Amino acid sequence: MRFTFLATIVGLAVGALAQSSAADAYVASEGPIAKTGVIANIGSSGSKSHGAKASASPSTSNPDYLYSWTRDSALVFKALIDQFTSGEDTTLRNLIDDYTTSSGRLQQVSNPSGTVSTGGLGEPKFNIDESAFTGAWGRPQRDGPALRATAIITYANWLLDNSNSTYVTQTLWPIIKLDLDYVQNNWNQTGFDLWEEVNSSSFFTTAVQHRALREGATFAARIGQTSVVSGYTTQAANVLCFLQSYWNPSAGYITANTGGGRSGKDSNTVLTSVHTFDPAAGCDASTFQPCSDKALSNLKVYVDSFRSIYAINSGIAANAAVATGRYPEDSYQGGNPWYLTTIAVSEQLYDALIVWDKLGSINVTAVSLPFFQQFSSSVAVGTYASSSATYTTLTTAIRTFADGFIAVNAKYTPANGGLAEQYDRASGAPVSAVDLTWSYAATLTAFHARGGKTYASWGAAGLAVPATCSTSGSGSSGGAGTVAVTFNVQATTVYGENIYITGSVDALQNWSPDNALILSAANYPTWSITVNLPATTAVQYKFIRKYNGATTWESDPNNQITTPASGSATQADTWR
Ligand SMILES: *[C@@H]1O[C@H](CO)[C@@H](O)[C@H](O)[C@H]1NC(C)=O
Ligand SMILES: *[C@@H]1O[C@H](CO)[C@@H](O)[C@H](O)[C@H]1NC(C)=O
Ligand SMILES: *[C@@H]1O[C@H](CO)[C@@H](O)[C@H](O)[C@H]1NC(C)=O
Ligand SMILES: *[C@@H]1O[C@H](CO)[C@@H](O)[C@H](O)[C@H]1NC(C)=O
């Protein structure tokens, strides 16, 4: 007995050292490659991007990924904006400015999902010359506007801290507001998930929408845009309520999508914990923080679902790290482990370790017990202070476990450090798109978390989940009793000048020049926008122009339209 016990301890210790030194070595070698890999794929000077603004990968065949995805771009730029605003890399400002400027233009591009005011913000991807992608695709995808708002708000808060409020209110706020309004009005509609396959409601999408509305409300208040605060806050509470419904209590995991006909075990949920991590929110379970009992239980179920299906995972102990993929039923490119999903597991665990260290204790609940039993078969439900032996046992083993996922990716990274999308489930050889921007970005953020770095809080602490879920106030665009009115106005402008509309009803922002709706110049000199207005209503409106911080109204009198009872209408005006 004694001999076996000692052998086990020695075996564990040797294994732990191996995992951690493999992770240390990979952080040192892969960190610079990942950073270079991200930068090469973005911006007009990116060496592999062929003039792209932020392409997913330079791959142009099998698969063709040389497009700009709203989600991928936002996730990648959020990571870069965190590096810039925290002072880790002060050289990134021009790239970030290119991203926000490009975002403002892309919002105005009419596409198969609609125009800027009729659902076009939900379009998932664009050609890299910023024109619409018109082929068949899984659209809309409603996480993009939320993620983009989160990324730009993070940058805007830094600009405010650094006395540049004019640029924030004049240039960034109109972009942020379009995205937040889209989330406010559309969160309760179905759309395609982050893997672009399932058309339903999706946990990742709902969670990032919640985050965007919360920080959007705080940000709007900070810059004095108080008229939007209560709308965003009301819908944030509604979204948080809906978010709880994805939890499957009997099986102990988060069901990734309401549709799709799969188990629902999906990296979607792990990525959510990582991308909605708030270091100030403790182990809050209602927002599924990385150290919450629900997110930890979910992590175990998710990881375990890949142990027996990938040949490269065979022979690995049931409590050690393995390669993981998007979801166990995946068959895309053969259905393989992905670099970004495997390393996301480690990032969730590093985030959890950061918070336990900060709080000075670990709570083991009935929900998280199976997760913790992987690291100590005798652990029981209870609170373990950082001074206890159990705390040390658990946190040491969990760090080794986390390092193990990095070691798995390290093992299947080719000698030149290039990260494709996937690696083969049987041979471990790289598969699918080469130099995937998101693979590099996910590697960078996991390394940062391993180093104990955290970024700004977004307001997840202490939120109350409403007792009953409501949808009231959402869905105001395209709802019953409205008609789609297209306003076309002939107006010549100078470069950098834009035309807006405001008027006598909510949908036209109640005569507010600050909140006026921007028109599209896609058919310049005709500026155009389609807005859902109340049916059978006399509506007054005016166009305004904004240039270099100055606002100019059309001369009197107001324009007027009486909307039809149903259908649509078009107004043709010339700037006065
Ligand atoms: C504010 O920030 C923008 C974006 O980086 C920059 O173009 C502008 O020059 C800045 N303005 C001031 C006054 O610093
Ligand atoms: C809309 O919200 C309600 C209330 O939370 C929820 O029951 C319903 O599933 C949601 N639908 C979508 C498509 O999000
Ligand atoms: C997605 O699902 C919704 C609701 O079931 C449906 O109205 C819509 O047509 C579907 N979209 C596609 C592209 O299948
Ligand atoms: C443990 O639970 C208590 C009571 O619910 C809570 O105050 C504390 O923050 C929790 N600590 C951790 C590390 O989750």
Side-chain angles (χ1 to χ4, degrees):
M1 278 306 283
R2 166 161 290 240
F3 175 78
T4 314
F5 177 73
L6 276 177
T8 310
I9 292 286
V10 170
L12 272 178
V14 169
L17 279 175
Q19 301 287 36
S20 295
S21 64
D24 283 343
Y26 192 60
V27 170
S29 66
E30 190 66 19
I33 295 173
K35 181 73 179 287
T36 308
V38 168
I39 303 292
N41 286 356
I42 61 182
S44 48
S45 52
S47 61
K48 294 194 177 175
S49 62
H50 309 272
K53 290 302 168 198
S55 74
S57 156
S59 172
T60 55
S61 67
N62 190 33
D64 180 3
Y65 278 7
L66 194 58
Y67 294 97
S68 181
W69 266 267
T70 306
R71 168 186 40 261
D72 297 41
S73 300
L75 291 173
V76 167
F77 272 95
K78 172 63 166 53
L80 295 180
I81 288 166
D82 281 340
Q83 290 201 358
F84 174 74
T85 57
S86 66
E88 280 161 44
D89 185 346
T90 56
T91 70
L92 296 169
R93 186 162 183 171
N94 288 345
L95 262 185
I96 295 167
D97 285 337
D98 283 352
Y99 168 67
T100 61
T101 308
S102 169
S103 296
R105 286 191 302 262
L106 283 173
Q107 285 180 327
Q108 302 297 325
V109 175
S110 296
N111 59 64
S113 294
T115 68
V116 61
S117 54
T118 62
L121 297 179
E123 181 71 2
K125 74 175 194 181
F126 293 84
N127 297 316
I128 55 169
D129 65 358
E130 297 183 352
S131 64
F133 169 77
T134 55
W137 208 253
R139 59 169 67 90
Q141 294 175 22
R142 304 186 195 276
D143 53 348
L147 293 166
R148 183 165 55 195
T150 286
I152 301 180
I153 287 171
T154 306
Y155 181 46
N157 274 320
W158 180 88
L159 289 168
L160 293 176
D161 292 342
N162 288 276
S163 312
N164 193 339
S165 62
T166 308
Y167 185 76
V168 169
T169 50
Q170 303 278 337
T171 306
L172 297 183
W173 172 242
I175 300 169
I176 294 167
K177 180 173 187 294
L178 282 174
D179 280 339
L180 292 175
D181 287 354
Y182 177 88
V183 174
Q184 169 183 252
N185 292 332
N186 293 288
W187 69 265
N188 199 227
Q189 312 282 321
T190 56
F192 282 81
D193 70 321
L194 80 170
W195 308 133
E196 322 197 274
E197 293 171 345
V198 179
N199 177 22
S200 70
S201 298
S202 187
F203 180 71
F204 178 85
T205 303
T206 303
V208 300
Q209 289 174 331
H210 173 245
R211 173 181 178 160
L213 289 172
R214 289 287 174 198
E215 60 194 339
T218 306
F219 176 75
R222 183 175 180 194
I223 60 169
Q225 297 286 343
T226 49
S227 64
V228 299
V229 173
S230 78
Y232 294 168
T233 306
T234 301
Q235 293 317 318
N238 290 342
V239 180
L240 181 61
C241 196
F242 179 47
L243 188 68
Q244 310 310 309
S245 68
Y246 293 90
W247 174 246
N248 175 343
S250 58
Y253 70 93
I254 302 157
T255 308
N257 301 302
T258 58
R262 302 176 188 150
S263 63
K265 299 169 190 172
D266 194 314
S267 174
N268 167 322
T269 60
V270 181
L271 291 166
T272 298
S273 260
V274 166
H275 290 291
T276 60
F277 173 41
D278 184 334
C283 297
D284 174 58
S286 71
T287 55
F288 299 88
Q289 289 302 309
C291 60
S292 66
D293 57 359
K294 288 179 178 171
L296 292 172
S297 173
N298 176 73
L299 189 73
K300 178 179 189 315
V301 173
Y302 161 76
V303 169
D304 287 350
S305 75
F306 297 96
R307 292 189 181 280
S308 63
I309 66 169
Y310 296 153
I312 58 170
N313 290 341
S314 69
I316 294 177
N319 62 352
V322 288
T324 70
R326 299 190 300 176
Y327 50 90
E329 301 87 349
D330 198 0
S331 61
Y332 175 61
Q333 301 274 346
N336 296 299
W338 284 39
Y339 293 100
L340 77 91
T341 60
T342 303
I343 209 153
V345 177
S346 73
E347 185 168 345
Q348 182 184 328
L349 294 167
Y350 296 133
D351 288 345
L353 287 162
I354 288 168
V355 175
W356 288 322
D357 181 53
K358 187 166 146 178
L359 297 179
S361 64
I362 289 180
N363 288 340
V364 177
T365 71
V367 171
S368 57
L369 186 61
F371 169 82
F372 287 107
Q373 282 173 330
Q374 299 179 104
F375 311 107
S376 164
S377 55
S378 61
V379 71
V381 169
T383 297
Y384 300 95
S386 57
S387 55
S388 68
T390 303
Y391 180 95
T392 305
T393 302
L394 292 175
T395 52
T396 304
I398 290 168
R399 190 167 175 90
T400 300
F401 184 57
D403 282 350
F405 291 87
I406 291 197
V408 169
N409 266 11
K411 180 171 178 185
Y412 299 114
T413 298
N416 71 1
L419 295 182
E421 181 178 72
Q422 320 179 13
Y423 41 99
D424 188 273
R425 63 198 288 158
S427 71
V431 177
S432 191
V434 296
D435 290 324
L436 190 77
T437 319
W438 191 355
S439 295
Y440 291 126
T443 299
L444 283 181
T445 56
F447 288 180
H448 279 96
R450 184 172 190 261
K453 290 200 178 109
T454 57
Y455 301 98
S457 164
W458 56 269
L463 297 172
V465 180
T468 52
C469 293
S470 161
T471 63
S472 76
S474 70
S476 63
S477 71
T482 66
V483 290
V485 179
T486 299
F487 294 93
N488 291 323
V489 60
Q490 303 291 318
T492 50
T493 49
V494 297
Y495 184 77
E497 185 175 37
N498 286 302
I499 303 291
Y500 294 72
I501 185 171
T502 185
S504 60
V505 290
D506 281 352
L508 291 178
Q509 305 294 341
N510 294 312
W511 293 118
S512 163
D514 288 341
N515 296 334
L517 307 174
I518 192 166
L519 276 69
S520 164
N523 296 313
Y524 183 84
T526 302
W527 292 74
S528 189
I529 190 173
T530 302
V531 186
N532 293 303
L533 297 183
T536 326
T537 305
V539 176
Q540 303 211 319
Y541 63 95
K542 263 189 179 179
F543 299 101
I544 58 185
R545 46 175 91 216
K546 296 189 189 180
Y547 180 58
N548 255 351
T551 298
T552 312
W553 289 80
E554 264 194 301
S555 57
D556 286 335
N558 295 332
N559 304 304
Q560 181 163 324
I561 175 179
T562 298
T563 57
S566 62
S568 59
T570 300
Q571 287 289 95
D573 293 295
T574 300
W575 171 273
R576 284 191 320 260

